[in-house]
Amino acid sequence: MIRWSLIAEFFSLLIITIIFLRYYGYERHVAFTENRKLFLLCLVSSFISILLDICGVFTTTYPSCVPLWLNLLINSSYFLAMVFTCSLFAYFIFRLILEHVYDKHCLHQAVRTLACLTAVYTLFVLVNLFTGVLFFFDENGLYCRGPLNQLGFALPVIELGLLTACYLRNRASVSKPVIAVMQSLPPIVLVVVLFQVFYPEVLLNGALCSLTSLLLFISFQTHINDRDALTGLRNRSNFLTELSLRITSRQPLHIIAVSLHSLSDINMQYGHTVGDALLYEIAQELDRLFPQGRAFRISSLTFALTLPWESQDQSDACLDIVRRRLRDPWILGEIRCQLSCCMADLRCDEEETADRIMEYLEYTLGLAKQEHTLVRFDAEIRHRLEQKHAMIAIMRKSIQERRFRVWYQPLYCCQAGTFHSAEALLRLSDYDGNSISPNVFIPLAEETGMIGDLTWIVLEEVCRLLRSGAVPGLQSVSLNLSMQQLLDPHLTERIQQYLTQYQLRPEQLKIEITERFLLHDAEYARSQLESLTGAGLEIYMDDFGTGYSNLSSVLNFPFSCIKFDRSLMLHVPEDPQAVRMLQTLTALFHDMDKRLVAEGVEDAEQAAYIKDAGVDIIQGFYYAKPMPQDQLAAFFAEQQEAQT
Ligand code: C2E
Ligand code: MG
Ligand code: MG
């Protein structure tokens, strides 16, 4: 009688159970995808086949305890379960290998081959009942191996061969975790099978399953990080992997990105649970929309769809399907809502890199957001993006070479009838001498983080000017701060350091802040502004009237002065309503103890009306344009002379 060793099988049972519990527990918060279900099925199937193996050993060791038919049934079931489990694992790994390959021909071929192999083996098991080619029970009821008993080992080896061939053929589009699986699996399978051939009494079928599961589980842990927890879609890093694999395997790709606008309205109206449910629904819908497509959640409100590029017509048709679906209402139980969104459409070429494609996509989406529509990435957009890169390069170089200049625009004090202060404004010209507008380079500096360096350049320059006393009668200078400075916890400290270093009083420096920066994190912004005012610095609200401004900001933040944006002056004095509004706002803010600056005053008539309205300070081309430091000194000297 054969004395089987079950130690490896018990151990494998334990490993499979642990993986199942860990995996199931961990995954419960994450949507179940096909691959996840399949992996769980592999684990369950392994568990059953190991149990059958253990039962089979028990019934063959003690044949008198069970009738022969049951013994036959248990052992035949074990043979079938083992084969089925191996094929299931193989199918799962085929899917992983071919995950980033659009052409599913290879997968279909693999399924057919696996089905054939399993069917042939099943036939053997059935035939075995009559012939005993695999195993049989002798007249004493003892288990005996048939001539083809070892045939079972051939199956995992054949399947491994097929997997390796498939992997080698599609290597360019296989993701890293799967490469790791495919590099470790062959030695494991071969060692286990060889060991089994030489020591057939040590049962290792379960060990094969548990080691494969462990290997996949480890690779899956990385896969889990590639998934978005809320929607179960692949996330941004998976999207980048998909892009680079498609590019290296030369599969032309069509990408449709969708960015949702109005989800915050839904959150406010129905609560975040409904908002989350809606996101889930949209994600699933996008994932379902095209059998050959794949959906990703690349940022909180942005989804991307990847599709094989076949032709322009085909991609237009797909785009149309997405647009039509997004135009339709979404129904969640009783709730029916419509979502507005913008879209970007792009063809991914082989010469590009994944990061570059991502940049194109984000830039195109940015344009689509401005226009609230669909924007297709084309040569013109590529050119604009290249110009942006060129501009950023100029800015970087200009910071190193200290080419940025600070100019000053004098501010006319209506009460004194002269100039006491100025606003510091950055200036830059390209290497051909053409000046670049701050409206172009400041947003870029904010986007790239260069604004930090620039602000400190301006601050130092302003402090140096004030300290030098080169401008007679210049009592204070205001400078513009951006969002990043407002978020800097050491902002006040840094400004104070400059003031101390240049022996200046805080009243000599005014800080201008655009209200839109305050909306980002109002609480923190208020604490920052209070810390600045606590240090004796005055804060001006810049660009009041540009669409972001609301009166509650004036109330809630410690502004001492409000700067009316140029847009409010445009129709003064022709439009009586504009004049009236200016007068009313001025009276209102004066009542609130705020001083007022009118920006963008360009002619005498405007200036007269604005003075009449009671505005305290006027900044505009009518009085003076921004100018370099030496001209400012001359300008102020002239004004002083005129006064005396
Ligand atoms: P801002 O802070 O509102 O500055 C006033 C802008 O209005 C300046 O434009 C100024 O030249 C312009 N301006 C003043 N009076 C008139 C007028 O009568 N007519 C017209 N057409 N324009 C007038 P500039 O220098 O082009 O700056 C644009 C914006 O760039 C600034 O708006 C500010 O937001 C930003 N900026 C400029 N320098 C800096 C800086 O050093 N740091 C930061 N963070 N932003 C800056
Ligand atoms: Mg300003
Ligand atoms: Mg302004």
Side-chain angles (χ1 to χ4, degrees), residues 461-491:
E461 203 51 43
V462 167
C463 289
R464 196 175 290 141
L465 172 78
L466 286 166
R467 179 74 202 128
S468 70
V471 184
L474 179 68
Q475 292 172 1
S476 66
V477 173
S478 58
L479 79 147
N480 297 281
L481 288 193
S482 286
M483 182 77 172
Q484 269 115 319
Q485 285 80 56
L486 213 58
L487 293 174
D488 178 358
H490 306 295
L491 174 67

PDB file of all heavy atoms in Angstrom, residues 461-491:
ATOM      1  N   GLU A 461      13.669  93.427  -4.177  1.00  0.00           N
ATOM      2  CA  GLU A 461      13.879  94.620  -5.000  1.00  0.00           C
ATOM      3  C   GLU A 461      13.148  95.818  -4.394  1.00  0.00           C
ATOM      4  O   GLU A 461      13.699  96.930  -4.307  1.00  0.00           O
ATOM      5  CB  GLU A 461      13.324  94.291  -6.394  1.00  0.00           C
ATOM      6  CG  GLU A 461      13.836  95.061  -7.551  1.00  0.00           C
ATOM      7  CD  GLU A 461      15.337  95.124  -7.658  1.00  0.00           C
ATOM      8  OE1 GLU A 461      15.997  94.099  -7.459  1.00  0.00           O
ATOM      9  OE2 GLU A 461      15.830  96.245  -7.922  1.00  0.00           O
ATOM     10  N   VAL A 462      11.892  95.574  -3.960  1.00  0.00           N
ATOM     11  CA  VAL A 462      11.081  96.646  -3.372  1.00  0.00           C
ATOM     12  C   VAL A 462      11.747  97.139  -2.086  1.00  0.00           C
ATOM     13  O   VAL A 462      11.855  98.346  -1.835  1.00  0.00           O
ATOM     14  CB  VAL A 462       9.644  96.120  -3.093  1.00  0.00           C
ATOM     15  CG1 VAL A 462       8.867  97.073  -2.215  1.00  0.00           C
ATOM     16  CG2 VAL A 462       8.904  95.910  -4.407  1.00  0.00           C
ATOM     17  N   CYS A 463      12.190  96.196  -1.251  1.00  0.00           N
ATOM     18  CA  CYS A 463      12.816  96.576   0.017  1.00  0.00           C
ATOM     19  C   CYS A 463      14.081  97.405  -0.249  1.00  0.00           C
ATOM     20  O   CYS A 463      14.329  98.412   0.408  1.00  0.00           O
ATOM     21  CB  CYS A 463      13.181  95.338   0.828  1.00  0.00           C
ATOM     22  SG  CYS A 463      11.739  94.509   1.487  1.00  0.00           S
ATOM     23  N   ARG A 464      14.855  96.947  -1.263  1.00  0.00           N
ATOM     24  CA  ARG A 464      16.091  97.667  -1.589  1.00  0.00           C
ATOM     25  C   ARG A 464      15.766  99.099  -2.020  1.00  0.00           C
ATOM     26  O   ARG A 464      16.418 100.049  -1.595  1.00  0.00           O
ATOM     27  CB  ARG A 464      16.824  96.918  -2.701  1.00  0.00           C
ATOM     28  CG  ARG A 464      18.269  97.348  -2.833  1.00  0.00           C
ATOM     29  CD  ARG A 464      19.011  96.526  -3.857  1.00  0.00           C
ATOM     30  NE  ARG A 464      19.234  95.167  -3.420  1.00  0.00           N
ATOM     31  CZ  ARG A 464      19.144  94.101  -4.212  1.00  0.00           C
ATOM     32  NH1 ARG A 464      18.785  94.245  -5.469  1.00  0.00           N
ATOM     33  NH2 ARG A 464      19.379  92.903  -3.746  1.00  0.00           N
ATOM     34  N   LEU A 465      14.704  99.224  -2.843  1.00  0.00           N
ATOM     35  CA  LEU A 465      14.313 100.554  -3.323  1.00  0.00           C
ATOM     36  C   LEU A 465      13.892 101.454  -2.159  1.00  0.00           C
ATOM     37  O   LEU A 465      14.329 102.601  -2.041  1.00  0.00           O
ATOM     38  CB  LEU A 465      13.159 100.414  -4.323  1.00  0.00           C
ATOM     39  CG  LEU A 465      12.532 101.727  -4.765  1.00  0.00           C
ATOM     40  CD1 LEU A 465      13.412 102.399  -5.811  1.00  0.00           C
ATOM     41  CD2 LEU A 465      11.143 101.515  -5.334  1.00  0.00           C
ATOM     42  N   LEU A 466      13.029 100.892  -1.293  1.00  0.00           N
ATOM     43  CA  LEU A 466      12.536 101.704  -0.175  1.00  0.00           C
ATOM     44  C   LEU A 466      13.698 102.101   0.748  1.00  0.00           C
ATOM     45  O   LEU A 466      13.758 103.224   1.250  1.00  0.00           O
ATOM     46  CB  LEU A 466      11.479 100.921   0.615  1.00  0.00           C
ATOM     47  CG  LEU A 466      10.112 100.785  -0.073  1.00  0.00           C
ATOM     48  CD1 LEU A 466       9.252  99.735   0.613  1.00  0.00           C
ATOM     49  CD2 LEU A 466       9.370 102.132  -0.089  1.00  0.00           C
ATOM     50  N   ARG A 467      14.607 101.147   0.951  1.00  0.00           N
ATOM     51  CA  ARG A 467      15.740 101.406   1.844  1.00  0.00           C
ATOM     52  C   ARG A 467      16.653 102.483   1.257  1.00  0.00           C
ATOM     53  O   ARG A 467      17.153 103.356   1.963  1.00  0.00           O
ATOM     54  CB  ARG A 467      16.535 100.096   2.043  1.00  0.00           C
ATOM     55  CG  ARG A 467      17.736 100.210   2.918  1.00  0.00           C
ATOM     56  CD  ARG A 467      17.309 100.323   4.375  1.00  0.00           C
ATOM     57  NE  ARG A 467      18.336 100.943   5.195  1.00  0.00           N
ATOM     58  CZ  ARG A 467      18.136 101.980   5.996  1.00  0.00           C
ATOM     59  NH1 ARG A 467      16.945 102.544   6.078  1.00  0.00           N
ATOM     60  NH2 ARG A 467      19.106 102.472   6.705  1.00  0.00           N
ATOM     61  N   SER A 468      16.812 102.454  -0.091  1.00  0.00           N
ATOM     62  CA  SER A 468      17.767 103.374  -0.716  1.00  0.00           C
ATOM     63  C   SER A 468      17.300 104.831  -0.638  1.00  0.00           C
ATOM     64  O   SER A 468      18.104 105.746  -0.718  1.00  0.00           O
ATOM     65  CB  SER A 468      17.954 102.989  -2.189  1.00  0.00           C
ATOM     66  OG  SER A 468      16.756 103.303  -2.894  1.00  0.00           O
ATOM     67  N   GLY A 469      15.984 105.028  -0.507  1.00  0.00           N
ATOM     68  CA  GLY A 469      15.444 106.385  -0.466  1.00  0.00           C
ATOM     69  C   GLY A 469      15.634 107.100  -1.799  1.00  0.00           C
ATOM     70  O   GLY A 469      15.590 108.331  -1.869  1.00  0.00           O
ATOM     71  N   ALA A 470      15.851 106.313  -2.877  1.00  0.00           N
ATOM     72  CA  ALA A 470      16.123 106.905  -4.188  1.00  0.00           C
ATOM     73  C   ALA A 470      14.906 107.617  -4.775  1.00  0.00           C
ATOM     74  O   ALA A 470      15.034 108.430  -5.683  1.00  0.00           O
ATOM     75  CB  ALA A 470      16.596 105.811  -5.141  1.00  0.00           C
ATOM     76  N   VAL A 471      13.710 107.281  -4.257  1.00  0.00           N
ATOM     77  CA  VAL A 471      12.504 107.895  -4.813  1.00  0.00           C
ATOM     78  C   VAL A 471      11.931 108.875  -3.771  1.00  0.00           C
ATOM     79  O   VAL A 471      11.350 108.454  -2.773  1.00  0.00           O
ATOM     80  CB  VAL A 471      11.460 106.814  -5.183  1.00  0.00           C
ATOM     81  CG1 VAL A 471      10.248 107.441  -5.841  1.00  0.00           C
ATOM     82  CG2 VAL A 471      12.080 105.752  -6.080  1.00  0.00           C
ATOM     83  N   PRO A 472      12.097 110.157  -4.017  1.00  0.00           N
ATOM     84  CA  PRO A 472      11.646 111.127  -3.004  1.00  0.00           C
ATOM     85  C   PRO A 472      10.127 111.107  -2.846  1.00  0.00           C
ATOM     86  O   PRO A 472       9.403 111.076  -3.843  1.00  0.00           O
ATOM     87  CB  PRO A 472      12.129 112.470  -3.563  1.00  0.00           C
ATOM     88  CG  PRO A 472      12.379 112.244  -5.009  1.00  0.00           C
ATOM     89  CD  PRO A 472      12.713 110.802  -5.186  1.00  0.00           C
ATOM     90  N   GLY A 473       9.646 111.053  -1.627  1.00  0.00           N
ATOM     91  CA  GLY A 473       8.200 111.107  -1.359  1.00  0.00           C
ATOM     92  C   GLY A 473       7.499 109.768  -1.468  1.00  0.00           C
ATOM     93  O   GLY A 473       6.287 109.680  -1.250  1.00  0.00           O
ATOM     94  N   LEU A 474       8.242 108.741  -1.797  1.00  0.00           N
ATOM     95  CA  LEU A 474       7.607 107.408  -1.911  1.00  0.00           C
ATOM     96  C   LEU A 474       7.474 106.806  -0.513  1.00  0.00           C
ATOM     97  O   LEU A 474       8.467 106.452   0.116  1.00  0.00           O
ATOM     98  CB  LEU A 474       8.455 106.479  -2.803  1.00  0.00           C
ATOM     99  CG  LEU A 474       7.896 105.069  -2.964  1.00  0.00           C
ATOM    100  CD1 LEU A 474       6.597 105.076  -3.777  1.00  0.00           C
ATOM    101  CD2 LEU A 474       8.908 104.154  -3.667  1.00  0.00           C
ATOM    102  N   GLN A 475       6.224 106.759  -0.029  1.00  0.00           N
ATOM    103  CA  GLN A 475       6.030 106.297   1.346  1.00  0.00           C
ATOM    104  C   GLN A 475       5.847 104.788   1.447  1.00  0.00           C
ATOM    105  O   GLN A 475       6.236 104.171   2.415  1.00  0.00           O
ATOM    106  CB  GLN A 475       4.815 107.009   1.954  1.00  0.00           C
ATOM    107  CG  GLN A 475       5.075 108.479   2.151  1.00  0.00           C
ATOM    108  CD  GLN A 475       3.828 109.231   2.574  1.00  0.00           C
ATOM    109  OE1 GLN A 475       2.760 108.653   2.739  1.00  0.00           O
ATOM    110  NE2 GLN A 475       3.967 110.539   2.727  1.00  0.00           N
ATOM    111  N   SER A 476       5.191 104.227   0.433  1.00  0.00           N
ATOM    112  CA  SER A 476       4.966 102.775   0.502  1.00  0.00           C
ATOM    113  C   SER A 476       4.892 102.171  -0.903  1.00  0.00           C
ATOM    114  O   SER A 476       4.625 102.878  -1.879  1.00  0.00           O
ATOM    115  CB  SER A 476       3.677 102.476   1.259  1.00  0.00           C
ATOM    116  OG  SER A 476       2.583 102.968   0.529  1.00  0.00           O
ATOM    117  N   VAL A 477       5.115 100.869  -0.950  1.00  0.00           N
ATOM    118  CA  VAL A 477       4.991 100.136  -2.214  1.00  0.00           C
ATOM    119  C   VAL A 477       4.126  98.906  -1.956  1.00  0.00           C
ATOM    120  O   VAL A 477       4.262  98.257  -0.912  1.00  0.00           O
ATOM    121  CB  VAL A 477       6.374  99.701  -2.753  1.00  0.00           C
ATOM    122  CG1 VAL A 477       6.224  98.805  -3.976  1.00  0.00           C
ATOM    123  CG2 VAL A 477       7.230 100.915  -3.101  1.00  0.00           C
ATOM    124  N   SER A 478       3.219  98.644  -2.874  1.00  0.00           N
ATOM    125  CA  SER A 478       2.419  97.423  -2.698  1.00  0.00           C
ATOM    126  C   SER A 478       2.933  96.349  -3.651  1.00  0.00           C
ATOM    127  O   SER A 478       3.421  96.655  -4.740  1.00  0.00           O
ATOM    128  CB  SER A 478       0.940  97.709  -2.956  1.00  0.00           C
ATOM    129  OG  SER A 478       0.764  98.204  -4.243  1.00  0.00           O
ATOM    130  N   LEU A 479       2.839  95.098  -3.184  1.00  0.00           N
ATOM    131  CA  LEU A 479       3.245  94.001  -4.075  1.00  0.00           C
ATOM    132  C   LEU A 479       2.193  92.913  -4.071  1.00  0.00           C
ATOM    133  O   LEU A 479       1.457  92.751  -3.092  1.00  0.00           O
ATOM    134  CB  LEU A 479       4.635  93.472  -3.726  1.00  0.00           C
ATOM    135  CG  LEU A 479       4.823  92.529  -2.579  1.00  0.00           C
ATOM    136  CD1 LEU A 479       5.942  91.582  -2.869  1.00  0.00           C
ATOM    137  CD2 LEU A 479       5.152  93.318  -1.324  1.00  0.00           C
ATOM    138  N   ASN A 480       2.136  92.207  -5.187  1.00  0.00           N
ATOM    139  CA  ASN A 480       1.106  91.178  -5.376  1.00  0.00           C
ATOM    140  C   ASN A 480       1.588  89.835  -4.862  1.00  0.00           C
ATOM    141  O   ASN A 480       2.701  89.421  -5.163  1.00  0.00           O
ATOM    142  CB  ASN A 480       0.780  91.043  -6.860  1.00  0.00           C
ATOM    143  CG  ASN A 480       0.202  92.312  -7.432  1.00  0.00           C
ATOM    144  OD1 ASN A 480      -0.967  92.611  -7.253  1.00  0.00           O
ATOM    145  ND2 ASN A 480       1.048  93.087  -8.096  1.00  0.00           N
ATOM    146  N   LEU A 481       0.743  89.172  -4.101  1.00  0.00           N
ATOM    147  CA  LEU A 481       1.068  87.815  -3.656  1.00  0.00           C
ATOM    148  C   LEU A 481       0.158  86.826  -4.370  1.00  0.00           C
ATOM    149  O   LEU A 481      -0.984  87.136  -4.672  1.00  0.00           O
ATOM    150  CB  LEU A 481       0.859  87.648  -2.154  1.00  0.00           C
ATOM    151  CG  LEU A 481       1.857  88.320  -1.214  1.00  0.00           C
ATOM    152  CD1 LEU A 481       1.673  87.780   0.196  1.00  0.00           C
ATOM    153  CD2 LEU A 481       3.293  88.114  -1.649  1.00  0.00           C
ATOM    154  N   SER A 482       0.684  85.643  -4.623  1.00  0.00           N
ATOM    155  CA  SER A 482      -0.130  84.603  -5.254  1.00  0.00           C
ATOM    156  C   SER A 482      -0.527  83.567  -4.214  1.00  0.00           C
ATOM    157  O   SER A 482      -0.095  83.620  -3.067  1.00  0.00           O
ATOM    158  CB  SER A 482       0.652  83.942  -6.372  1.00  0.00           C
ATOM    159  OG  SER A 482       0.710  84.813  -7.457  1.00  0.00           O
ATOM    160  N   MET A 483      -1.315  82.640  -4.707  1.00  0.00           N
ATOM    161  CA  MET A 483      -1.830  81.563  -3.856  1.00  0.00           C
ATOM    162  C   MET A 483      -0.738  80.836  -3.071  1.00  0.00           C
ATOM    163  O   MET A 483      -0.870  80.602  -1.884  1.00  0.00           O
ATOM    164  CB  MET A 483      -2.507  80.570  -4.793  1.00  0.00           C
ATOM    165  CG  MET A 483      -3.124  79.429  -4.112  1.00  0.00           C
ATOM    166  SD  MET A 483      -4.636  80.030  -3.434  1.00  0.00           S
ATOM    167  CE  MET A 483      -5.277  78.494  -2.906  1.00  0.00           C
ATOM    168  N   GLN A 484       0.345  80.481  -3.784  1.00  0.00           N
ATOM    169  CA  GLN A 484       1.393  79.688  -3.124  1.00  0.00           C
ATOM    170  C   GLN A 484       1.966  80.395  -1.912  1.00  0.00           C
ATOM    171  O   GLN A 484       2.251  79.762  -0.908  1.00  0.00           O
ATOM    172  CB  GLN A 484       2.531  79.355  -4.097  1.00  0.00           C
ATOM    173  CG  GLN A 484       2.316  78.051  -4.798  1.00  0.00           C
ATOM    174  CD  GLN A 484       2.141  78.267  -6.281  1.00  0.00           C
ATOM    175  OE1 GLN A 484       1.461  79.214  -6.688  1.00  0.00           O
ATOM    176  NE2 GLN A 484       2.737  77.431  -7.092  1.00  0.00           N
ATOM    177  N   GLN A 485       2.126  81.735  -2.002  1.00  0.00           N
ATOM    178  CA  GLN A 485       2.670  82.451  -0.851  1.00  0.00           C
ATOM    179  C   GLN A 485       1.662  82.430   0.295  1.00  0.00           C
ATOM    180  O   GLN A 485       2.026  82.320   1.452  1.00  0.00           O
ATOM    181  CB  GLN A 485       2.977  83.913  -1.189  1.00  0.00           C
ATOM    182  CG  GLN A 485       4.205  84.104  -2.027  1.00  0.00           C
ATOM    183  CD  GLN A 485       3.915  83.823  -3.465  1.00  0.00           C
ATOM    184  OE1 GLN A 485       3.016  84.427  -4.030  1.00  0.00           O
ATOM    185  NE2 GLN A 485       4.636  82.893  -4.058  1.00  0.00           N
ATOM    186  N   LEU A 486       0.399  82.527  -0.095  1.00  0.00           N
ATOM    187  CA  LEU A 486      -0.634  82.549   0.935  1.00  0.00           C
ATOM    188  C   LEU A 486      -0.687  81.212   1.676  1.00  0.00           C
ATOM    189  O   LEU A 486      -1.086  81.137   2.836  1.00  0.00           O
ATOM    190  CB  LEU A 486      -1.978  82.826   0.266  1.00  0.00           C
ATOM    191  CG  LEU A 486      -2.969  83.620   1.096  1.00  0.00           C
ATOM    192  CD1 LEU A 486      -2.378  84.945   1.482  1.00  0.00           C
ATOM    193  CD2 LEU A 486      -4.258  83.829   0.327  1.00  0.00           C
ATOM    194  N   LEU A 487      -0.265  80.165   0.995  1.00  0.00           N
ATOM    195  CA  LEU A 487      -0.263  78.841   1.639  1.00  0.00           C
ATOM    196  C   LEU A 487       1.014  78.590   2.434  1.00  0.00           C
ATOM    197  O   LEU A 487       1.104  77.615   3.170  1.00  0.00           O
ATOM    198  CB  LEU A 487      -0.405  77.743   0.570  1.00  0.00           C
ATOM    199  CG  LEU A 487      -1.741  77.701  -0.158  1.00  0.00           C
ATOM    200  CD1 LEU A 487      -1.705  76.669  -1.276  1.00  0.00           C
ATOM    201  CD2 LEU A 487      -2.874  77.365   0.805  1.00  0.00           C
ATOM    202  N   ASP A 488       1.991  79.473   2.279  1.00  0.00           N
ATOM    203  CA  ASP A 488       3.283  79.265   2.948  1.00  0.00           C
ATOM    204  C   ASP A 488       3.153  79.607   4.439  1.00  0.00           C
ATOM    205  O   ASP A 488       2.898  80.759   4.804  1.00  0.00           O
ATOM    206  CB  ASP A 488       4.316  80.181   2.261  1.00  0.00           C
ATOM    207  CG  ASP A 488       5.690  80.085   2.906  1.00  0.00           C
ATOM    208  OD1 ASP A 488       5.831  79.341   3.890  1.00  0.00           O
ATOM    209  OD2 ASP A 488       6.603  80.761   2.413  1.00  0.00           O
ATOM    210  N   PRO A 489       3.335  78.626   5.332  1.00  0.00           N
ATOM    211  CA  PRO A 489       3.156  78.905   6.759  1.00  0.00           C
ATOM    212  C   PRO A 489       4.203  79.886   7.306  1.00  0.00           C
ATOM    213  O   PRO A 489       4.009  80.464   8.366  1.00  0.00           O
ATOM    214  CB  PRO A 489       3.290  77.525   7.418  1.00  0.00           C
ATOM    215  CG  PRO A 489       3.910  76.636   6.413  1.00  0.00           C
ATOM    216  CD  PRO A 489       3.665  77.228   5.065  1.00  0.00           C
ATOM    217  N   HIS A 490       5.303  80.084   6.557  1.00  0.00           N
ATOM    218  CA  HIS A 490       6.349  80.999   7.051  1.00  0.00           C
ATOM    219  C   HIS A 490       6.271  82.366   6.376  1.00  0.00           C
ATOM    220  O   HIS A 490       7.236  83.134   6.429  1.00  0.00           O
ATOM    221  CB  HIS A 490       7.732  80.388   6.806  1.00  0.00           C
ATOM    222  CG  HIS A 490       7.854  79.017   7.382  1.00  0.00           C
ATOM    223  ND1 HIS A 490       7.800  78.773   8.743  1.00  0.00           N
ATOM    224  CD2 HIS A 490       7.981  77.810   6.804  1.00  0.00           C
ATOM    225  CE1 HIS A 490       7.908  77.478   8.951  1.00  0.00           C
ATOM    226  NE2 HIS A 490       8.002  76.865   7.799  1.00  0.00           N
ATOM    227  N   LEU A 491       5.120  82.647   5.731  1.00  0.00           N
ATOM    228  CA  LEU A 491       4.996  83.880   4.954  1.00  0.00           C
ATOM    229  C   LEU A 491       5.330  85.128   5.787  1.00  0.00           C
ATOM    230  O   LEU A 491       6.183  85.930   5.411  1.00  0.00           O
ATOM    231  CB  LEU A 491       3.576  83.958   4.372  1.00  0.00           C
ATOM    232  CG  LEU A 491       3.225  85.255   3.658  1.00  0.00           C
ATOM    233  CD1 LEU A 491       4.044  85.395   2.387  1.00  0.00           C
ATOM    234  CD2 LEU A 491       1.742  85.303   3.302  1.00  0.00           C
TER     235      LEU A 491
END
